[in-house]
Amino acid sequence: MKKLLALVLVLCCFTSVALANTYGMGVYTNVATATNATAEKAGQYEILSNICALVLDDEGKIVDVWFDVVQTKVGFNAAGEVTTAAGTPVLSKFEKKEAYGMSGRAPAGEWYVQARALEQYCIGKTVAEVMGTALEGGKAVDADLKATCSIAIDELLLALYQASLNAR
């Protein structure tokens, strides 16, 4: 009986190793815009941090993925003084939901809805397959994906790639 129990435990250990998922997190950050201040108008830096959390199975296929973007804007006046207070909270596009205000101008809906559609598109594919998604102007060319996700996804895919490099 002890040998049978030991054998079952050993098989369970090997099975869990074979079925183990790997997890990764990636962030692609860039200065999206930089506008100089004038006497009439304040200047601003806009920094975008594209975030991806990723779960891969033992075959390298995407089991789960999550995208978000933090859009940080820092203002300054013509004298070069920063006008955005330190400690100002910055909500992500996902956290803003409808308050992001995209649904009125985007046929595919609010940003977070389109990001969820991109996530669904990725599930079951390898990172290489997703990275091979045809883009034009940063947006998907594939008609099915384009119908549910009309946002630019090029930087989100760079975050996905970074997450895959960090997966363990």
mmCIF file of all heavy atoms in Angstrom, residues 21-22 54-64 122-127 129:
data_model
loop_
_atom_site.group_PDB
_atom_site.id
_atom_site.type_symbol
_atom_site.label_atom_id
_atom_site.label_comp_id
_atom_site.label_asym_id
_atom_site.label_seq_id
_atom_site.Cartn_x
_atom_site.Cartn_y
_atom_site.Cartn_z
ATOM 1 N N ASN A 21 2.013 26.077 -15.732
ATOM 2 C CA ASN A 21 1.932 27.289 -16.529
ATOM 3 C C ASN A 21 3.093 28.199 -16.170
ATOM 4 O O ASN A 21 3.656 28.111 -15.086
ATOM 5 C CB ASN A 21 0.612 28.019 -16.251
ATOM 6 C CG ASN A 21 -0.581 27.288 -16.811
ATOM 7 O OD1 ASN A 21 -0.485 26.591 -17.807
ATOM 8 N ND2 ASN A 21 -1.723 27.449 -16.173
ATOM 9 N N THR A 22 3.433 29.079 -17.097
ATOM 10 C CA THR A 22 4.418 30.115 -16.814
ATOM 11 C C THR A 22 3.707 31.460 -16.876
ATOM 12 O O THR A 22 2.746 31.631 -17.625
ATOM 13 C CB THR A 22 5.594 30.077 -17.805
ATOM 14 O OG1 THR A 22 5.092 30.193 -19.133
ATOM 15 C CG2 THR A 22 6.393 28.800 -17.673
ATOM 16 N N LEU A 54 0.551 37.850 -18.538
ATOM 17 C CA LEU A 54 0.440 36.740 -19.469
ATOM 18 C C LEU A 54 0.585 35.406 -18.750
ATOM 19 O O LEU A 54 1.408 35.272 -17.848
ATOM 20 C CB LEU A 54 1.580 36.889 -20.495
ATOM 21 C CG LEU A 54 1.773 35.843 -21.564
ATOM 22 C CD1 LEU A 54 0.586 35.837 -22.524
ATOM 23 C CD2 LEU A 54 3.064 36.135 -22.325
ATOM 24 N N VAL A 55 -0.226 34.427 -19.155
ATOM 25 C CA VAL A 55 -0.101 33.048 -18.678
ATOM 26 C C VAL A 55 0.054 32.168 -19.914
ATOM 27 O O VAL A 55 -0.785 32.212 -20.821
ATOM 28 C CB VAL A 55 -1.329 32.589 -17.865
ATOM 29 C CG1 VAL A 55 -1.142 31.163 -17.372
ATOM 30 C CG2 VAL A 55 -1.606 33.529 -16.703
ATOM 31 N N LEU A 56 1.140 31.375 -19.930
ATOM 32 C CA LEU A 56 1.411 30.454 -21.033
ATOM 33 C C LEU A 56 1.346 29.019 -20.535
ATOM 34 O O LEU A 56 1.795 28.742 -19.415
ATOM 35 C CB LEU A 56 2.811 30.705 -21.610
ATOM 36 C CG LEU A 56 3.081 32.080 -22.195
ATOM 37 C CD1 LEU A 56 4.566 32.253 -22.499
ATOM 38 C CD2 LEU A 56 2.255 32.300 -23.450
ATOM 39 N N ASP A 57 0.826 28.117 -21.362
ATOM 40 C CA ASP A 57 0.843 26.710 -20.976
ATOM 41 C C ASP A 57 2.193 26.101 -21.346
ATOM 42 O O ASP A 57 3.078 26.794 -21.868
ATOM 43 C CB ASP A 57 -0.334 25.942 -21.575
ATOM 44 C CG ASP A 57 -0.272 25.790 -23.097
ATOM 45 O OD1 ASP A 57 0.786 26.055 -23.701
ATOM 46 O OD2 ASP A 57 -1.297 25.387 -23.676
ATOM 47 N N ASP A 58 2.357 24.818 -21.089
ATOM 48 C CA ASP A 58 3.651 24.174 -21.320
ATOM 49 C C ASP A 58 3.983 24.040 -22.808
ATOM 50 O O ASP A 58 5.114 23.733 -23.163
ATOM 51 C CB ASP A 58 3.727 22.817 -20.618
ATOM 52 C CG ASP A 58 2.654 21.846 -21.064
ATOM 53 O OD1 ASP A 58 1.604 22.299 -21.558
ATOM 54 O OD2 ASP A 58 2.870 20.628 -20.917
ATOM 55 N N GLU A 59 3.030 24.308 -23.690
ATOM 56 C CA GLU A 59 3.282 24.299 -25.128
ATOM 57 C C GLU A 59 3.521 25.708 -25.671
ATOM 58 O O GLU A 59 3.670 25.896 -26.876
ATOM 59 C CB GLU A 59 2.110 23.651 -25.869
ATOM 60 C CG GLU A 59 1.929 22.183 -25.544
ATOM 61 C CD GLU A 59 0.715 21.585 -26.230
ATOM 62 O OE1 GLU A 59 0.016 22.300 -26.985
ATOM 63 O OE2 GLU A 59 0.464 20.390 -26.016
ATOM 64 N N GLY A 60 3.521 26.700 -24.777
ATOM 65 C CA GLY A 60 3.752 28.075 -25.197
ATOM 66 C C GLY A 60 2.522 28.790 -25.721
ATOM 67 O O GLY A 60 2.622 29.886 -26.264
ATOM 68 N N LYS A 61 1.358 28.192 -25.520
ATOM 69 C CA LYS A 61 0.113 28.845 -25.955
ATOM 70 C C LYS A 61 -0.417 29.736 -24.837
ATOM 71 O O LYS A 61 -0.269 29.434 -23.660
ATOM 72 C CB LYS A 61 -0.927 27.806 -26.364
ATOM 73 C CG LYS A 61 -0.490 27.056 -27.597
ATOM 74 C CD LYS A 61 -1.623 26.368 -28.265
ATOM 75 C CE LYS A 61 -1.041 25.716 -29.515
ATOM 76 N NZ LYS A 61 -2.019 25.279 -30.421
ATOM 77 N N ILE A 62 -1.043 30.814 -25.238
ATOM 78 C CA ILE A 62 -1.577 31.778 -24.277
ATOM 79 C C ILE A 62 -2.845 31.205 -23.654
ATOM 80 O O ILE A 62 -3.819 30.911 -24.348
ATOM 81 C CB ILE A 62 -1.849 33.131 -24.953
ATOM 82 C CG1 ILE A 62 -0.524 33.708 -25.494
ATOM 83 C CG2 ILE A 62 -2.527 34.101 -23.993
ATOM 84 C CD1 ILE A 62 -0.683 34.923 -26.388
ATOM 85 N N VAL A 63 -2.809 31.052 -22.339
ATOM 86 C CA VAL A 63 -3.950 30.552 -21.565
ATOM 87 C C VAL A 63 -4.794 31.728 -21.090
ATOM 88 O O VAL A 63 -6.020 31.679 -21.092
ATOM 89 C CB VAL A 63 -3.463 29.729 -20.350
ATOM 90 C CG1 VAL A 63 -4.621 29.310 -19.462
ATOM 91 C CG2 VAL A 63 -2.675 28.523 -20.806
ATOM 92 N N ASP A 64 -4.128 32.796 -20.694
ATOM 93 C CA ASP A 64 -4.812 33.995 -20.230
ATOM 94 C C ASP A 64 -3.892 35.180 -20.471
ATOM 95 O O ASP A 64 -2.667 35.056 -20.426
ATOM 96 C CB ASP A 64 -5.164 33.885 -18.744
ATOM 97 C CG ASP A 64 -6.282 34.831 -18.332
ATOM 98 O OD1 ASP A 64 -6.856 35.525 -19.200
ATOM 99 O OD2 ASP A 64 -6.594 34.884 -17.131
ATOM 100 N N CYS A 122 -6.091 36.605 -28.537
ATOM 101 C CA CYS A 122 -4.780 36.041 -28.207
ATOM 102 C C CYS A 122 -4.865 34.636 -27.609
ATOM 103 O O CYS A 122 -3.954 33.817 -27.816
ATOM 104 C CB CYS A 122 -4.054 36.951 -27.218
ATOM 105 S SG CYS A 122 -3.607 38.569 -27.880
ATOM 106 N N ILE A 123 -5.916 34.357 -26.866
ATOM 107 C CA ILE A 123 -6.010 33.081 -26.140
ATOM 108 C C ILE A 123 -6.021 31.906 -27.124
ATOM 109 O O ILE A 123 -6.746 31.912 -28.111
ATOM 110 C CB ILE A 123 -7.231 33.075 -25.208
ATOM 111 C CG1 ILE A 123 -6.992 34.084 -24.078
ATOM 112 C CG2 ILE A 123 -7.507 31.675 -24.647
ATOM 113 C CD1 ILE A 123 -8.148 34.302 -23.153
ATOM 114 N N GLY A 124 -5.165 30.928 -26.826
ATOM 115 C CA GLY A 124 -5.035 29.741 -27.657
ATOM 116 C C GLY A 124 -3.946 29.845 -28.714
ATOM 117 O O GLY A 124 -3.611 28.860 -29.366
ATOM 118 N N LYS A 125 -3.394 31.040 -28.894
ATOM 119 C CA LYS A 125 -2.315 31.250 -29.856
ATOM 120 C C LYS A 125 -0.983 31.306 -29.120
ATOM 121 O O LYS A 125 -0.936 31.567 -27.923
ATOM 122 C CB LYS A 125 -2.519 32.563 -30.618
ATOM 123 C CG LYS A 125 -3.743 32.595 -31.520
ATOM 124 C CD LYS A 125 -3.882 33.969 -32.165
ATOM 125 C CE LYS A 125 -5.021 34.056 -33.146
ATOM 126 N NZ LYS A 125 -6.335 33.890 -32.562
ATOM 127 N N THR A 126 0.108 31.124 -29.849
ATOM 128 C CA THR A 126 1.431 31.349 -29.271
ATOM 129 C C THR A 126 1.731 32.845 -29.368
ATOM 130 O O THR A 126 1.081 33.580 -30.141
ATOM 131 C CB THR A 126 2.522 30.578 -30.034
ATOM 132 O OG1 THR A 126 2.608 31.091 -31.368
ATOM 133 C CG2 THR A 126 2.237 29.076 -30.044
ATOM 134 N N VAL A 127 2.719 33.279 -28.609
ATOM 135 C CA VAL A 127 3.130 34.690 -28.674
ATOM 136 C C VAL A 127 3.602 35.011 -30.088
ATOM 137 O O VAL A 127 3.275 36.079 -30.628
ATOM 138 C CB VAL A 127 4.215 34.999 -27.619
ATOM 139 C CG1 VAL A 127 4.774 36.395 -27.809
ATOM 140 C CG2 VAL A 127 3.633 34.836 -26.216
ATOM 141 N N GLU A 129 2.591 33.729 -32.894
ATOM 142 C CA GLU A 129 1.416 33.881 -33.761
ATOM 143 C C GLU A 129 0.767 35.246 -33.569
ATOM 144 O O GLU A 129 0.399 35.908 -34.547
ATOM 145 C CB GLU A 129 0.396 32.772 -33.484
ATOM 146 C CG GLU A 129 0.832 31.407 -33.962
ATOM 147 C CD GLU A 129 -0.058 30.278 -33.474
ATOM 148 O OE1 GLU A 129 -0.681 30.399 -32.393
ATOM 149 O OE2 GLU A 129 -0.114 29.259 -34.177
#
